[in-house]
Amino acid sequence: MTGYNFLRSVNEATAPAGQAEVYIEVGALPAQVAPLRVVTADLAARADFDLDAVADLRMAVDEACSTLATLAVPDARMQCLVRVDTERITVTVRIPSPRIAVISQDTFGWRVLATLADKVEILGNDVADPPSLGIRLVKERQVGVA
C-alpha cells in the first residue's frame, strides 16, 4: 500500500492563536516514513525552532514511526498528527495493531527516542476495533539558549 494522504490542515485563520495542526496518513511501512519526517521537520523550522531541535525532532519521528511500522497489521495506514504552538511541537503517531503488540521500552531505539524528545508517551487503545498503538512525542521550544 503506497501513497500519502494529507487529510487535514488547520490553517492560521481557523486555528487558535499561534497554533497549527497537520494530519498525515501513509502506509504503515518503514519506506513510507520519509514524508512524516520531512513535514514535521519543515513545520518545526517554520515555527523558528532551532536547528538542533529540528534535527532531533526529525530523528525522533523517524524512530517512532519505524518502531510502529514493525508492529502494524498487514496493509495498515499510519496516522500522524502534528500540532505546533508557541511553546512546543507535539507529534502523535498511531497504527492499527494486533491486540498482543507491545512497544518495548528497553531497546536502544527507545533510548534514542527518549533522548531526542522532551517527552515520550506510549498510547494504547484496548477498546478500539481494530486495536491501535501509538507514540506521542513532545519537543519543547528552548528559550534563551545561545
Side-chain angles (χ1 to χ4, degrees):
M1 181 176 285
T2 61
Y4 315 119
N5 293 326
F6 290 86
L7 298 177
R8 178 179 42 168
S9 176
V10 177
N11 66 32
E12 292 177 14
T14 59
Q19 183 176 330
E21 183 177 272
V22 175
Y23 178 88
I24 308 163
E25 187 176 292
V26 299
L29 301 167
Q32 300 290 314
V33 171
L36 303 178
R37 184 173 65 224
V38 169
V39 168
T40 302
D42 184 63
L43 289 169
R46 289 173 187 263
D48 291 328
F49 277 71
D50 64 55
L51 293 176
D52 288 336
V54 172
D56 287 353
L57 192 57
R58 179 184 298 118
M59 289 186 287
V61 167
D62 185 67
E63 186 62 40
C65 292
S66 297
T67 297
L68 289 170
T70 64
L71 299 172
V73 297
D75 297 323
R77 303 289 289 171
M78 185 176 299
Q79 303 164 344
C80 180
L81 178 65
V82 182
R83 283 196 176 110
V84 182
D85 63 38
T86 56
E87 304 297 321
R88 71 193 52 82
I89 295 179
T90 304
V91 180
T92 304
V93 183
R94 283 192 169 276
I95 50 105
S97 66
R99 289 196 190 282
I100 59 169
V102 176
I103 297 172
S104 178
Q105 295 181 40
D106 63 355
T107 64
F108 177 73
W110 184 264
R111 291 177 199 266
V112 168
L113 185 58
T115 301
L116 294 170
D118 295 312
K119 181 180 176 185
V120 182
E121 178 183 5
I122 294 176
L123 308 171
N125 189 349
D126 295 332
V127 297
D129 191 23
S132 67
L133 277 176
I135 297 176
R136 180 174 294 131
L137 310 169
V138 177
K139 188 69 176 172
E140 302 284 342
R141 181 182 304 280
Q142 300 298 316
V143 180
V145 176

